[in-house]
Amino acid sequence: MKYPRLVELLSKPENYDSVLVRGWVRTFRANRFIALNDGSTIENLQCVVDFKNTDEKILKKINTGAAIEVSGKLIKSMGKGQSQEVLVEKIEIIGEADPDLYPIQPKKHSFEFLREKAHLRVRTATFSAVMRIRSVLSFAIHQFFQDKGFYYIHTPIITGSDAEGAGEMFRVSVLDPQKPPIDADGSVDFKQDFFGKETNLTVSGQLEAETYALGLGNVYTFGPTFRAENSNTSRHLAEFWMIEPEMAFYDLDDNMDLAEEFIKNILTYVMEKCEKDLIFLDQRLENEDKTKPLIQRSPMRLIQKIKFVIENEFKRVSYSEAIDILKNSKQNKKKKFKYLIQEWGTDLQSEHERYLVEKHFNAPVILYDYPAKIKAFYMRMNEDQKTVRAMDILFPGIGEIVGGSQREERLVFLKKRIQELGIDDEELWWYLDLRRFGSTPHSGFGLGFERLVLFATGMSNIRDVIPYPRTPQNASF
Ligand code: ATP
Ligand code: MN
């Protein structure tokens, strides 16, 4: 007898005759049909119980959520909905689940409800599919970069520089909040803290990644990042995972080419590897859509949308062109935007980004050459002295998914920007050293992993694509 997992068994049933399987009961119907799932695939295995010859006490314990072991003959199923089934010869209850207490019942639960049961929600079809796709996407990301000769680097999670995220960082401290040491000026004396200075959780590994790109050539990070921004949206988490490649000798065009190739490559991989999960999620989205008013329904189904991104060229549009388009749009003229576009230089809100992608271009869009004023200090200044070599990739239904730039490699320009923004340049001595010794044009970008998972799964809230979301007022589990 063999002990396969369901994914193996259901893909090569001809290899099995008698089987022993273990998993959790999804449903038990008519005292006869168990839908068993072991998490390895979206598909359940139907196990047919001979209830006349099964102990009443055992039958009572075959409840949704219970862990069981079943052995029997694998045969072709006559019933609808599955090709194989097991004629149960022996059944053992490994772990009971009291139906009066187990919260995940075979009925439709709202995602809000399931967030409160985040430790059990992965036992539902939707969440197991999302988390399998999340895993496959992670692997695809490493494979893409490793195949291209990029090196994976681990940038620090606790950081001593606050140049990037002033104001939205989480402090790391071991000082007693009740009675912290006070210095001569009456402020908290962080010299007495664990690291002898103020430290925070990182908002990005970019600055450190740049130092490694200027030694290893092409590198990438893939790690957790933290932002204490109080934006309670469906696209922001306080703790999220980011992929940040950084490439020496790349200009902005090379950077855009890489980002586009990267996204298409990993989505293609997931289409190949997660076909069944995607078909399930596609159907789920379709059903959810049907409950919405016509105007809110999505014009494309999930798989169609993924294919659309893989098959179409991303439209590359300068910020200035985008502002013209937005300013002259009906939406703007009829004051339908919450934030009206009045002049060049304003930052784009997600409603504008989505208008460009979903209404105007009907394609993923790469916006580039943003006003320096609304972008970070390290982006390379253009000849016009007004715009910088930034690029954001905007996706349907999501808005910004990637933010990147060509970095300022000229010491004089970089120092000028740092001064203008009032950033403490002593903190950045090591970053400035890169511009002093062997400086070279280089570029990189950051892809928010959960936004990508949102896109690939058709889920609508970022809290539902990470196992345990961290958001304002919520750090349960
Ligand atoms: P946004 O304008 O959407 O807040 P941002 O400009 O702050 O994004 P960057 O600093 O450029 O984003 O970060 C790079 C990428 O990280 C973004 O393109 C996005 O995919 C992702 N990202 C940023 N903030 C968050 C967050 N709070 N939660 C999840 N992903 C995020
Ligand atoms: Mn942000």
Side-chain angles (χ1 to χ4, degrees), residues 168 227 229 231 236 451:
E168 43 178 69
R227 298 196 183 175
E229 50 192 350
S231 32
H236 288 91
R451 298 220 181 143

Side-chain angles (χ1 to χ4, degrees), residues 108-171:
K108 202 172 158 16
H109 293 294
S110 74
F111 288 148
E112 288 81 5
F113 171 81
L114 290 172
R115 265 171 231 150
E116 286 164 16
K117 313 280 180 244
H119 58 308
L120 297 170
R121 67 178 177 172
V122 75
R123 298 195 197 175
T124 65
T126 299
F127 284 93
S128 65
V130 168
M131 294 307 159
R132 279 188 295 268
I133 289 174
R134 187 180 162 108
S135 166
V136 169
L137 274 173
S138 308
F139 181 77
I141 287 164
H142 284 294
Q143 180 156 286
F144 175 84
F145 286 120
Q146 295 285 331
D147 284 353
K148 275 199 170 318
F150 281 57
Y151 295 106
Y152 178 33
I153 55 163
H154 301 97
T155 49
I157 288 171
I158 299 175
T159 165
S161 86
D162 68 349
E164 266 237 79
E168 43 178 69
M169 299 181 100
F170 289 100
R171 172 168 294 140

Side-chain angles (χ1 to χ4, degrees), residues 164 168 203-204 225-229 231 233 235-244 347-348 350 353 374-375 378-379 391-393 398-404 445-452 462 470:
E164 266 237 79
E168 43 178 69
V203 294
S204 156
T225 41
F226 307 86
R227 298 196 183 175
E229 50 192 350
S231 32
T233 77
R235 300 170 304 108
H236 288 91
L237 291 164
E239 175 180 295
F240 64 100
W241 288 67
M242 186 144 63
I243 297 102
E244 296 181 279
D347 205 354
L348 300 182
S350 104
E353 296 173 345
I374 57 172
K375 288 290 180 186
Y378 48 72
M379 300 188 178
M391 65 113 175
D392 281 3
I393 302 184
I398 305 223
E400 183 187 331
I401 191 161
V402 162
F445 61 84
L447 171 89
F449 186 51
E450 284 74 20
R451 298 220 181 143
L452 179 76
I462 200 161
R470 300 289 177 244

Side-chain angles (χ1 to χ4, degrees), residues 64-133:
T64 297
I68 62 171
E69 179 178 294
V70 159
S71 51
K73 282 241 163 338
L74 187 70
I75 60 160
K76 279 213 157 47
S77 174
M78 296 298 173
K80 263 199 335 200
Q82 67 276 324
S83 55
Q84 310 292 325
E85 63 190 20
V86 177
L87 292 181
V88 176
E89 284 158 8
K90 191 164 163 255
I91 182 163
E92 196 182 312
I93 308 290
I94 301 173
E96 295 178 36
D98 184 337
D100 294 330
L101 300 173
Y102 185 61
I104 315 287
Q105 290 301 317
K107 61 166 199 175
K108 202 172 158 16
H109 293 294
S110 74
F111 288 148
E112 288 81 5
F113 171 81
L114 290 172
R115 265 171 231 150
E116 286 164 16
K117 313 280 180 244
H119 58 308
L120 297 170
R121 67 178 177 172
V122 75
R123 298 195 197 175
T124 65
T126 299
F127 284 93
S128 65
V130 168
M131 294 307 159
R132 279 188 295 268
I133 289 174

Side-chain angles (χ1 to χ4, degrees), residues 12-27:
K12 294 195 193 77
E14 63 278 9
N15 292 353
Y16 303 91
D17 171 22
S18 282
V19 292
L20 183 145
V21 287
R22 301 170 179 132
W24 294 271
V25 176
R26 281 278 166 84
T27 58

Side-chain angles (χ1 to χ4, degrees), residues 377 412-425:
F377 72 93
V412 180
F413 283 85
L414 188 59
K415 275 182 142 171
K416 190 163 161 255
R417 286 283 285 153
I418 288 177
Q419 216 160 36
E420 279 168 9
L421 294 171
I423 299 169
D424 179 5
D425 61 353

